[in-house]
Amino acid sequence: MIKIALTGACGRMGKVIAGLIAERKDCKVNAGVDPAGKKYGDFEIYDRLSALPESPDVIIDFSHTSALDEILTFCKSRSIPAVIATTGYTQDEIVKIKIAAEHVPVFFTFNMSLGINLLADLARRTARVLGSSFDMEIIEKHHNLKADSPSGTAIMLADALNEESGGALKYVYGRSGTHRPRIKDELGIHSIRGGTIVGEHEIIFAGHDEIISMSHSALSREVFASGAINAALFLAGREKGLYDMTDLLNSI
């Protein structure tokens, strides 16, 4: 039985994860961490990680970027693996995550959905074949409470396309105020915010007289929660290092 500590336990994603774990027999939430939270399950809620009376086997973090330093410090001090599932990190914060992975196992990806990571793999393969002759654009849609833009997933998809293009693509975030034809090496990334959209991502390959479009729609937060739980089970007992969804997919 894998014991999981859930940071951000009283947030929307935290409660979804706790609910899914309650239905499983291979893991359990042994503690929740949320400074403003109240107990709602069969586990205690603490205001900080250092208050935990028992070390978990792994931490799943769906809290806030401001909690990153506390989480990484705690994990390194107790040699506890961490699944970092919060989004909106800066490049400097991502560097901190990579440095922490030199000391403990860390699972980090911009999106915990299995489907979106398969989409990224398909995008790489498509760009390998079509990238030199097709224009590529990304459209992402999220609910009206999402703070970061573009989404981390959109950046993940853009980076996948750019890797196959030899790093030659220039990211363009919308085209408001632009009065010129599209430059060949542009990769447009467009954000839509509204309503309760959980998450939609579309990659468009536009060529001469033909268009290829591939997309992924998350219909509930359970797809991210399930991915985070599977990542936690995968990570428990691993050697130190940085892991992502590719490692998880290859282990299946």
Side-chain angles (χ1 to χ4, degrees):
M1 178 73 70
I2 301 298
K3 296 178 293 185
I4 298 172
L6 185 57
T7 55
C10 297
R12 288 176 296 177
M13 280 303 306
K15 290 182 177 179
V16 173
I17 292 173
L20 291 179
I21 291 178
E23 299 173 357
R24 302 181 63 131
K25 296 182 178 180
D26 54 356
C27 59
K28 68 174 184 178
V29 178
N30 73 325
V33 178
D34 200 308
K38 297 180 179 180
K39 182 175 179 178
Y40 60 87
D42 59 355
F43 54 90
E44 296 296 328
I45 302 291
Y46 300 89
D47 62 351
R48 60 192 185 282
L49 277 167
S50 59
L52 297 186
E54 179 186 7
S55 292
D57 296 313
V58 61
I59 288 174
I60 295 179
D61 171 54
F62 258 112
S63 57
H64 188 269
T65 56
S66 60
L68 181 64
D69 288 341
E70 178 191 0
I71 293 167
L72 296 181
T73 298
F74 179 83
C75 289
K76 288 188 292 184
S77 67
R78 299 200 189 184
S79 298
I80 297 173
V83 176
I84 305 297
T86 299
T87 61
Y89 288 115
T90 65
Q91 286 301 313
D92 288 342
E93 289 167 333
I94 292 173
V95 169
K96 290 182 180 180
I97 293 171
K98 293 179 177 179
I99 292 174
E102 297 174 359
H103 304 276
V104 293
V106 177
F107 192 103
F108 176 68
T109 182
F110 287 105
N111 192 303
M112 285 291 168
S113 161
L114 177 64
I116 201 70
N117 282 275
L118 288 174
L119 176 64
D121 183 60
L122 291 172
R124 288 189 188 94
R125 300 184 188 190
T126 306
R128 195 176 306 155
V129 177
L130 304 178
S132 61
S133 55
F134 278 60
D135 297 325
M136 296 179 287
E137 300 274 313
I138 295 172
I139 301 172
E140 57 98 349
K141 306 174 186 178
H142 285 87
H143 53 85
N144 55 23
L145 297 178
K146 186 171 178 61
D148 55 311
S149 175
S151 68
T153 302
I155 296 299
M156 179 186 78
L157 295 173
D159 289 345
L161 297 174
N162 201 17
E163 287 172 10
E164 291 298 331
S165 303
L169 299 179
K170 301 175 181 63
Y171 299 176
V172 177
Y173 303 101
R175 292 193 172 82
S176 177
T178 300
H179 300 283
R180 57 165 174 75
R182 187 186 196 277
I183 296 173
K184 177 60 181 174
D185 291 332
E186 283 184 1
L187 173 56
I189 305 174
H190 312 276
S191 299
I192 294 173
R193 297 290 178 268
T196 58
I197 301 171
V198 176
E200 298 181 13
H201 294 83
E202 180 181 10
I203 305 171
I204 298 171
F205 295 86
H208 183 71
D209 290 343
E210 60 180 334
I211 298 171
I212 297 173
S213 176
M214 52 182 68
S215 64
H216 175 272
S217 297
L219 302 182
S220 80
R221 291 182 174 81
E222 285 194 10
V223 297
F224 311 120
S226 295
I229 296 168
N230 289 331
L233 298 181
F234 164 83
L235 198 63
R238 296 276 171 178
E239 296 292 326
K240 63 184 179 182
L242 186 65
Y243 300 88
D244 60 20
M245 194 60 74
T246 300
D247 300 301
L248 176 56
L249 292 174
N250 289 337
S251 73
I252 297 175

